[in-house]
Amino acid sequence: MAIKNVDAVRILDEHRQDGVLITTMNAGNSRFGLPSVTAHEQLDLPMSGCMGKASSIGLGLALAQPDRKVLVLDGDGSLLMNLGTLVTISNKAPENLYHFVFENGVYAVTGGQPIPGEGKLSFQGLAKEAGYTAAYEFDDTEELASNIDSVLQQKGPVLVCLKITPEIENTPVQFRPRARRNMPMAVADLARVFGLKS
């Protein structure tokens, strides 16, 4: 079984309350990612073009805003590019950080090449060994929806591996639909929400 990308981001958006969502790769895809379902756009931080860095940026934001939940929506191939972040996050131990890994087993935005270690590695296991407070894995939409609130009530850092149905992008980059908001716009919105700008 596997969860559809759009269903995963919809569930996370519906249950985040005033939490910030940091998205990368397919979690931020303008057709079937967060921009297509968000109800809290001013709290979305899309990290397009920053493959491998969403978790590091999420850590910084979680440390800077300790009273607000930070949900990182990472890709499996993206996290593999920066595995050291698991240990760094664990070492800093932000209680408000929730790291969701969208595991579809492929580099979906570049044509569907398999990720290294596909079918052999466990992101849940990697997080536990790195020292995360808790780690989970879901491959069913209803199970995710039923458990997400209890997951978000725990003290972080928490990693949640979501088994996602691959949706491969074969359209050349220049012809893909663009998100309405870019990173500078999102940063400015967040600064206003945090009371850092008028």
Side-chain angles (χ1 to χ4, degrees), residues 19-146:
V20 175
L21 287 187
I22 299 174
T23 61
T24 190
M25 313 321 293
N26 274 359
N29 189 294
S30 60
R31 291 190 299 111
F32 48 80
L34 185 65
S36 67
V37 299
T38 185
H40 308 86
E41 188 174 66
Q42 75 282 3
L43 291 171
D44 299 342
L45 184 58
M47 302 304 306
S48 57
C50 294
M51 187 174 181
K53 300 305 178 190
S55 53
S56 297
I57 292 168
L59 172 60
L61 188 57
L63 293 173
Q65 296 287 320
D67 296 325
R68 186 183 296 269
K69 286 183 178 6
V70 175
L71 288 71
V72 175
L73 280 55
D74 213 343
D76 50 3
S78 179
L79 178 55
L80 285 175
M81 294 179 71
N82 189 17
L83 271 181
T85 193
L86 295 176
V87 176
T88 304
I89 289 170
S90 176
N91 184 53
K92 292 296 185 181
E95 296 182 353
N96 58 328
L97 181 63
Y98 302 85
H99 191 176
F100 293 86
V101 181
F102 283 51
E103 184 181 3
N104 59 19
V106 297
Y107 290 107
V109 299
T110 60
Q113 306 87 348
I115 63 167
E118 192 275 321
K120 298 178 183 176
L121 63 86
S122 164
F123 289 101
Q124 180 184 21
L126 287 169
K128 285 180 179 176
E129 290 299 321
Y132 274 55
T133 302
Y136 301 92
E137 183 175 283
F138 295 103
D139 65 0
D140 178 77
T141 305
E142 294 303 319
E143 186 182 5
L144 173 62
S146 298

Side-chain angles (χ1 to χ4, degrees), residues 41-44 181 184-194:
E41 188 174 66
Q42 75 282 3
L43 291 171
D44 299 342
R181 292 170 75 242
M185 293 167 64
V187 168
D189 285 346
L190 276 180
R192 281 189 287 275
V193 169
F194 297 158

Side-chain angles (χ1 to χ4, degrees), residues 2-37:
I3 303 168
K4 288 185 178 178
N5 199 94
V6 69
D7 291 337
V9 293
R10 180 180 291 112
I11 289 167
L12 298 179
D13 180 60
E14 288 173 352
H15 292 266
R16 66 160 140 174
Q17 298 179 348
D18 67 347
V20 175
L21 287 187
I22 299 174
T23 61
T24 190
M25 313 321 293
N26 274 359
N29 189 294
S30 60
R31 291 190 299 111
F32 48 80
L34 185 65
S36 67
V37 299

Side-chain angles (χ1 to χ4, degrees), residues 170-189:
N170 287 315
T171 306
V173 173
Q174 66 269 31
F175 299 119
R176 293 179 190 174
R178 301 263 181 217
R180 192 177 60 76
R181 292 170 75 242
N182 58 28
M183 199 181 314
M185 293 167 64
V187 168
D189 285 346

